[in-house]
Amino acid sequence: MKFLVAVILVLPFVLFSQNENRQFVSCTELKDGILINVSDGNYYFYSYNQKIIETTFIPLAEINNEQSHAIDIAHESTSFNLTRSDSELRFSKPNGIEVYVQKSPFKISYWFNGKELISEKKGYQKSAELEKIEFNLKSDEILYGGGARALGMNRRGNRLQLYNRAHYGYEEKAELMNYCLPMVLSNKVYAVHFDNGAIGYLDLDSKKNNTLSYETISGRKAYQVIAGADWKDLVEQYTFLTGRQPMPPRWAFGNFASRFGYHSESEARKVVNQFRKDSIPLDAIIFDLYWFGKEIQGTLGNLEFHKDSFPTPEKMISDFKSQEVKTVLITEPFILTTSKKWDEAVSKKLLGTDSFGEPFTYDFYFGNTGLLDIYQPHVRTWFWDIYKNQANKGVKGFWGDLGEPEVHPSLLFHGTKTADQVHNIYGHDWARLISEGYKKDFPNERPFILMRAGYSGTQKYGIIPWSGDVNRTWGGLKPQVEISLQMGLQGIAYMHSDLGGFAGNNDEPELYTRWLQYGVFQPIFRPHAQEEVASEPIFKDAKTKTLAKKSVELRYQLLPYNYTLAFENHTKGTPLMRPVFMEEANTSYSENKTNQYFWGDAFLVCPITDKGTVGEKLAVDFPLNSNWYDFSSGKLITELVQTEKSKATFVTVQAENIPVFVKAGSFVPMSKIIQSTEAYKPENVIINFYDHPAVSKSEGMWYEDDGLTADAFEKGKYNLLKFENKRCHKSSEITFNLDKGKEQIQLIKSFQFEVHFAENPPKKVKINGKKTKVELNVNKNYFSVPLSMQGNTTNVKIKW
């Protein structure tokens, strides 16, 4: 019996860790990598740093002439540390991923900090239909990735199609959506990115045999294995590889007026005026396709204002600017045969072609169309000139819609490439076109690029993606947290939803209210919907409008905190919305949770996604090693039930807000309520500090720049105020250190400091050694005091 057990234990390795047809031939050290020759091809190994290894397989008789679409940086130019033996090879960079190559049976595995991350199972294979790279998985791994889907956080067990496609009116389950990504992340804190833009599949153990498989029609046989010390480090490494999101303009963190759509200049003016009349903050208005035509169908490709409906567009844009409202225009890559630009598109050879080189035309919902071939330099120039012309007239943002592309026939050609070879990178290269145009013609301005489709690394071009045409139902609201959390782990930090839901004519005030309350704590606050039911709060009944206004105002109060999150994302890749396990390492209870998440490192947010819950008790799980304040009341959470992996409380659901909690020890910069981000001033900021005697040390920061200048941080045109709290029993010391950047401009001069306390109010407060009177609010357990940064350091000492 013991012998049988031993055989069973060995069998998985024998059966699933080898490729019996691939034989090791030789190993050659390159000046910047390792070349391993095998019987059916060559493996090349390179590093981008010690935590990122790239492996490329080139079959015999093939040439590797495909370039990466995701990665712009060069691999390291230094060699690996290589050790050889008769049975295996091992190579690595210091303190990095170690690659083990077993010679017979041939096997490649990747190790980090003494633990195996992943190994090739059968590696590269080819059939008549697909090329495949196959790996072994551990039986207890949880898998994330594959882009935007509604499948639950753990995506293991699914075979995910990699083909960007809209899913109109989706709700709780959507297997295929607008934004696919060829990568997988494991709860073992590693990722594998398959560096190929062609369509295919990502099989996350759908056959239940502990196998990960990447399948594609063609292209690069390359993948990167990425390791992290923790989840934040893993995402930092991945965004180092594929690029980091530039800082959006500050106004992008405000409120948008948006619907499908504004039919006329007069209608748009009335909307903006009503926002100002109702004192509901607003920063931008978005024009859907009616700006270039009266009808939904037959007008795509006009790409110029329809003068019957918009008689004075430049004056309208200028007037909106004077009201501190930016103008954003929709564009699409489709030129209909009925559009004003069709003849020009044909004569200038702007369109994708058939096999004979003629414009490829086909029917879809909007009409008979051709598709811009943005892979031709002259087409990119032509398309960019459309944007440049509107930007010169004062337009501040662009919406690129239908960029999957929505309908993309396989027989269509982009130069020598087929539609299927470029389908998943079309949106990526469209965003790149606009980003590069801004760098060339408006180098000091930050673009705003709203798109629903892209690829690995599109974040470096500034994409602001949304989660597609979600149904306007509770079922549509439920998967939004999952979608944003998943995309944040995959480098796409600004994934957000049409607040209130898009599809259908469901007019449900409670749903609208809950969606906006959640939207305060998602990357972009943008209500948008089909026009049958208004998406703007100004058109809601009095109660709904009041609640919506409260959400919008809170969004503006959080502006300095949210802008600092954007800075953290820009410099480290850390997402704004974070799974609980990203902030709390010892929280395995939360790996599949989407009913609560972190907003930055300070807030735990619990969206309400069910109807009629006011007055009910909601269970909220907190990580074991932390204490929490109720954000709305300012009171410390004291009634807790401890379990093995968490501690829980029960809160009564309110109509006025969703449950949101602040972690003790956090610093939260907030603004006074303003009507647009142009009214924002650092001197109106309140730094909220949430003290607790159990928190002996904590840190925070507040980032400021002018909100407009491209690469302001890199140019040294910023201020960064760092906070440090040290607490010892009955005393606290909080230090503020100001980094003015290399330009030495001072944006942060004075602010209010507000300390929320858990027990008794302070006995004494000193600022820079001088005893100071404070304003005390005993009912809400906080005190406040004005602070100024006359030098680079300010010190506050509190005696409790």
Side-chain angles (χ1 to χ4, degrees), residues 181-244:
L181 286 168
M183 72 173 301
V184 60
L185 303 96
S186 166
N187 68 329
K188 306 299 183 183
V189 198
Y190 74 87
V192 183
H193 174 246
F194 298 98
D195 194 2
N196 183 36
I199 67 171
Y201 292 88
L202 188 62
D203 192 323
L204 307 182
D205 195 28
S206 67
K207 296 177 182 178
K208 312 298 183 185
N209 61 353
N210 297 326
T211 302
L212 164 68
S213 179
Y214 170 71
E215 304 162 12
T216 183
I217 60 166
S218 65
R220 304 184 81 219
K221 275 69 77 172
Y223 62 88
Q224 294 90 28
V225 176
I226 306 153
D230 53 33
W231 275 103
K232 285 186 179 179
D233 183 44
L234 179 62
V235 176
E236 183 173 354
Q237 298 305 320
Y238 173 71
T239 55
F240 166 78
L241 177 70
T242 60
R244 303 239 167 91

Side-chain angles (χ1 to χ4, degrees), residues 14 17 66 108 121 123 183 287-288 321 337 360 418 427 465 549 567 579 581 619 652 791:
V14 174
S17 64
E66 289 278 344
I108 301 171
K121 189 170 190 175
M183 72 173 301
F287 288 89
D288 212 312
K321 180 181 178 182
T337 57
F360 193 111
T418 67
K549 182 178 181 180
F567 169 72
F581 60 75
T652 302

Side-chain angles (χ1 to χ4, degrees), residues 82-331:
L82 172 66
T83 59
R84 303 171 184 253
S85 72
D86 292 340
S87 61
E88 68 176 11
L89 307 166
R90 296 189 182 192
F91 52 92
S92 65
K93 295 293 178 72
N95 302 312
I97 295 175
E98 190 168 13
V99 183
Y100 289 16
V101 178
Q102 180 179 284
K103 295 181 179 180
S104 182
F106 186 79
K107 176 188 173 185
I108 301 171
S109 58
Y110 301 86
W111 296 66
F112 184 66
N113 288 341
K115 296 180 180 179
E116 185 183 59
L117 301 177
I118 196 168
S119 63
E120 286 196 0
K121 189 170 190 175
K122 294 186 177 179
Y124 173 79
Q125 307 158 71
K126 187 173 184 178
S127 68
E129 296 82 22
L130 294 168
E131 298 179 85
K132 180 189 296 187
I133 308 175
E134 196 174 89
F135 298 83
N136 293 300
L137 290 171
K138 297 174 181 64
S139 61
D140 62 342
E141 284 189 78
I142 294 172
L143 301 180
Y144 312 96
R149 323 259 175 174
L151 293 169
M153 284 297 284
N154 184 4
R155 294 179 171 177
R156 186 167 183 164
N158 291 282
R159 184 172 185 254
L160 306 177
Q161 186 178 3
L162 298 174
Y163 188 91
N164 292 346
R165 177 180 291 157
H167 185 158
Y168 176 82
Y170 72 91
E171 294 191 351
E172 292 184 60
K173 186 171 184 180
E175 295 182 3
L176 184 63
M177 294 175 63
N178 312 76
Y179 204 134
C180 301
L181 286 168
M183 72 173 301
V184 60
L185 303 96
S186 166
N187 68 329
K188 306 299 183 183
V189 198
Y190 74 87
V192 183
H193 174 246
F194 298 98
D195 194 2
N196 183 36
I199 67 171
Y201 292 88
L202 188 62
D203 192 323
L204 307 182
D205 195 28
S206 67
K207 296 177 182 178
K208 312 298 183 185
N209 61 353
N210 297 326
T211 302
L212 164 68
S213 179
Y214 170 71
E215 304 162 12
T216 183
I217 60 166
S218 65
R220 304 184 81 219
K221 275 69 77 172
Y223 62 88
Q224 294 90 28
V225 176
I226 306 153
D230 53 33
W231 275 103
K232 285 186 179 179
D233 183 44
L234 179 62
V235 176
E236 183 173 354
Q237 298 305 320
Y238 173 71
T239 55
F240 166 78
L241 177 70
T242 60
R244 303 239 167 91
Q245 183 99 16
M247 287 289 291
R250 196 193 315 268
W251 60 263
F253 295 94
N255 180 33
F256 290 77
S258 183
R259 70 161 78 160
F260 183 20
Y262 301 115
H263 291 256
S264 67
E265 180 177 330
S266 61
E267 182 182 27
R269 288 180 179 274
K270 288 176 183 177
V271 168
V272 170
N273 290 339
Q274 193 65 46
F275 269 97
R276 291 296 180 238
K277 182 179 178 181
D278 290 345
S279 297
I280 298 177
L282 181 69
D283 260 273
I285 182 168
I286 301 180
F287 288 89
D288 212 312
L289 50 77
Y290 293 115
W291 75 273
F292 51 69
K294 284 189 175 182
E295 306 297 332
I296 294 176
Q297 294 175 314
T299 61
L300 292 193
N302 286 346
L303 296 174
E304 58 188 53
F305 275 100
H306 185 64
K307 287 300 181 76
D308 286 351
S309 306
F310 294 86
T312 59
E314 291 182 49
K315 186 176 188 306
M316 177 190 72
I317 294 167
S318 177
D319 289 345
F320 286 162
K321 180 181 178 182
S322 68
Q323 293 175 281
E324 300 182 346
V325 174
K326 313 297 185 294
T327 298
V328 180
L329 300 181
I330 194 173
T331 58

